[in-house]
């Protein structure tokens, strides 16, 4: 598998013009915009906008949902494949070597944009108005990139990249709401999957369900799942798992003649002290005191 450390090498291998900067480059696609014909990894963040008619985009070994005008976000060292891409309009690619961010606030801030971790069919689908906003920002970046770069260029380029990422975050929140209206509440689907996990005896086999376990069952990425749940309910996926397990624990403490440790292990907790801390955090008292109050 090819790993690109250098933008110069990536541009050369794909027939792009040489980059204007060794750590930052852009490329505007004209109806065709593939990168190689095989899987690759890189040291770059990548931002892409495409309206695809056909072709394959894989990220983290899962297919991107690329209907309509789609933005895609890739982080360094993830497996990517783009081949046989045909677009009905122009698109663009932005490449940012992680070293280009060193010493800039975006070096840390870019990590808070969870959509760089979305792996399965969760591209950002833009409305016409949103497309216009993104293209305007791209052209501002392009102007700075094409000019003779000076001491202000990097700051201005990254300021516009940061603005593009902020708008993308806003547009994703709109997408969460719109898709929820179409497909139903994610919270309900999430809880249904936890119920199935428990009913199928997975607590005994795998222990506590992870966010990744439930996300995989819902065929979405763990990061996207947590962001949708946060948007819908104000709580993350992990918090919902904890709420479910504590509700089950309370039910067992009330209805079953078992010790706290037996109930904890039955719910998949390998560590009794972790269960007790989590229970106290959610309920306000320890499971022992909760059970004692019921007996009294």
């Amino acid at each position: 598998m090819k790993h690109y450390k250098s933008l110069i090498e990536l541009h050369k291998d794909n027939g792009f013009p040489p980059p204007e900067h060794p750590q930052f480059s852009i490329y505007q696609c004209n109806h065709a915009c593939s990168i190689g014909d095989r899987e690759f990894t890189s040291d770059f963040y990548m931002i892409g906008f495409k309206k695809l008619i056909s072709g394959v985009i894989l990220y983290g070994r899962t297919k991107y949902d690329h209907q309509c005008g789609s933005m895609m976000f890739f982080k360094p060292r993830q497996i990517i494949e783009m081949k046989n891409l045909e677009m009905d309009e122009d698109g663009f690619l932005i490449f940012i070597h992680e070293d280009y961010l060193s010493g800039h606030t975006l070096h840390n801030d870019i990590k808070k944009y969870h959509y760089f971790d979305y792996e399965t069919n969760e591209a950002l689908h833009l409305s016409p108005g949103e497309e216009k906003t993104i293209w305007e920002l791209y052209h501002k970046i392009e102007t700075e990139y094409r000019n003779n770069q000076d001491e202000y260029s990097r700051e201005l380029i990254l300021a516009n990249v940061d603005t593009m990422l902020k708008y993308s975050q806003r547009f994703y929140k709109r997408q969460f709401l719109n898709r929820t209206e179409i497909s139903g509440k994610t919270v309900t689907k999430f809880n249904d999957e936890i119920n199935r996990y428990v009913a199928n005896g997975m607590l005994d086999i795998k222990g506590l369900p992870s966010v990744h376990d439930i996300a995989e069952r819902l065929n979405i990425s763990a990061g996207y799942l947590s962001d949708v749940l946060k948007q819908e309910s104000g709580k993350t996926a992990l918090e919902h798992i904890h709420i479910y397990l504590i509700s089950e624990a309370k039910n067992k403490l009330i209805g079953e003649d078992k010790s706290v440790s037996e109930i904890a292990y039955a719910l998949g907790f390998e560590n009794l002290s972790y269960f007790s801390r989590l229970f106290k955090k959610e309920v306000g008292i320890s499971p022992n005191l909760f059970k004692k109050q019921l007996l009294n």
Side-chain angles (χ1 to χ4, degrees), residues 132-180:
K132 183 173 181 289
T133 297
I134 294 299
W135 273 111
E136 286 172 354
L137 287 165
Y138 173 80
H139 289 311
K140 287 181 180 179
I141 293 167
E142 182 181 36
T143 298
E144 286 300 323
Y145 177 75
R146 301 291 181 203
N147 284 344
N148 292 326
Q149 297 193 31
D150 55 26
E151 68 267 31
Y152 300 103
S153 300
R154 175 174 173 266
E155 185 63 39
L156 289 168
I157 285 172
L158 290 182
N160 283 295
V161 169
D162 188 34
T163 301
M164 183 181 285
L165 296 178
K166 285 184 170 70
Y167 270 110
S168 299
Q169 183 87 323
R170 170 188 278 182
F171 298 157
Y172 256 119
K173 287 197 172 185
R174 181 269 310 156
Q175 180 167 302
F176 294 155
L177 293 172
N178 288 352
R179 289 198 164 190
T180 294

Side-chain angles (χ1 to χ4, degrees), residues 56-106:
V56 174
I57 297 178
L58 297 177
Y59 182 42
R61 299 194 182 279
T62 52
K63 278 193 177 183
Y64 245 117
D65 172 7
H66 51 61
Q67 59 189 338
C68 306
S70 299
M71 286 194 75
M72 293 153 288
F73 305 87
F74 310 93
K75 66 181 181 181
R77 289 170 291 282
Q78 267 285 18
I79 298 168
I80 303 167
E81 183 179 355
M82 297 183 186
K83 63 182 181 181
N84 304 321
L85 303 186
E86 183 182 352
M87 301 182 292
D88 62 1
E89 292 181 14
D90 286 351
F92 66 74
L93 291 167
I94 298 174
F95 303 95
I96 310 167
H97 195 288
E98 52 192 354
D99 290 347
Y100 191 69
L101 302 177
S102 295
H104 192 277
T105 56
L106 198 54

Side-chain angles (χ1 to χ4, degrees), residues 1-215:
M1 183 186 302
K2 183 80 172 182
H3 178 79
Y4 289 104
K5 293 183 177 181
S6 160
L7 276 175
I8 295 172
E9 186 182 10
L10 183 144
H11 277 240
K12 182 180 178 182
D13 281 2
N14 291 283
F16 300 168
E20 299 290 333
H21 190 284
Q23 295 178 338
F24 181 91
S25 68
I26 59 175
Y27 180 71
Q28 187 164 337
C29 317
N30 182 16
H31 294 278
C33 200
S34 298
I35 302 181
D37 57 358
R38 58 182 175 177
E39 295 177 341
F40 70 94
T41 58
S42 78
D43 290 342
F44 322 128
Y45 287 95
M46 295 169 51
I47 302 169
F49 174 79
K50 308 168 187 295
K51 278 190 175 180
L52 295 187
I53 297 173
S54 63
V56 174
I57 297 178
L58 297 177
Y59 182 42
R61 299 194 182 279
T62 52
K63 278 193 177 183
Y64 245 117
D65 172 7
H66 51 61
Q67 59 189 338
C68 306
S70 299
M71 286 194 75
M72 293 153 288
F73 305 87
F74 310 93
K75 66 181 181 181
R77 289 170 291 282
Q78 267 285 18
I79 298 168
I80 303 167
E81 183 179 355
M82 297 183 186
K83 63 182 181 181
N84 304 321
L85 303 186
E86 183 182 352
M87 301 182 292
D88 62 1
E89 292 181 14
D90 286 351
F92 66 74
L93 291 167
I94 298 174
F95 303 95
I96 310 167
H97 195 288
E98 52 192 354
D99 290 347
Y100 191 69
L101 302 177
S102 295
H104 192 277
T105 56
L106 198 54
H107 179 268
N108 292 322
D109 287 350
I110 200 168
K111 297 177 178 65
K112 73 184 180 185
Y113 297 114
H114 295 167
Y115 45 75
F116 280 98
D117 291 312
Y118 297 167
E119 290 189 4
T120 54
N121 60 345
E122 303 306 348
L124 174 58
H125 306 296
L126 302 178
S127 69
E130 291 166 350
E131 283 186 36
K132 183 173 181 289
T133 297
I134 294 299
W135 273 111
E136 286 172 354
L137 287 165
Y138 173 80
H139 289 311
K140 287 181 180 179
I141 293 167
E142 182 181 36
T143 298
E144 286 300 323
Y145 177 75
R146 301 291 181 203
N147 284 344
N148 292 326
Q149 297 193 31
D150 55 26
E151 68 267 31
Y152 300 103
S153 300
R154 175 174 173 266
E155 185 63 39
L156 289 168
I157 285 172
L158 290 182
N160 283 295
V161 169
D162 188 34
T163 301
M164 183 181 285
L165 296 178
K166 285 184 170 70
Y167 270 110
S168 299
Q169 183 87 323
R170 170 188 278 182
F171 298 157
Y172 256 119
K173 287 197 172 185
R174 181 269 310 156
Q175 180 167 302
F176 294 155
L177 293 172
N178 288 352
R179 289 198 164 190
T180 294
E181 290 170 4
I182 295 169
S183 60
K185 290 291 183 182
T186 308
V187 173
T188 301
K189 294 181 178 180
F190 183 81
N191 286 331
D192 286 346
E193 286 303 327
I194 297 180
N195 279 324
R196 289 190 189 95
Y197 184 96
V198 174
N200 291 335
M202 298 304 292
L203 285 175
D204 293 329
I205 299 170
K206 294 184 66 175
L208 295 175
S210 68
V211 176
H212 180 78
D213 288 330
I214 306 302

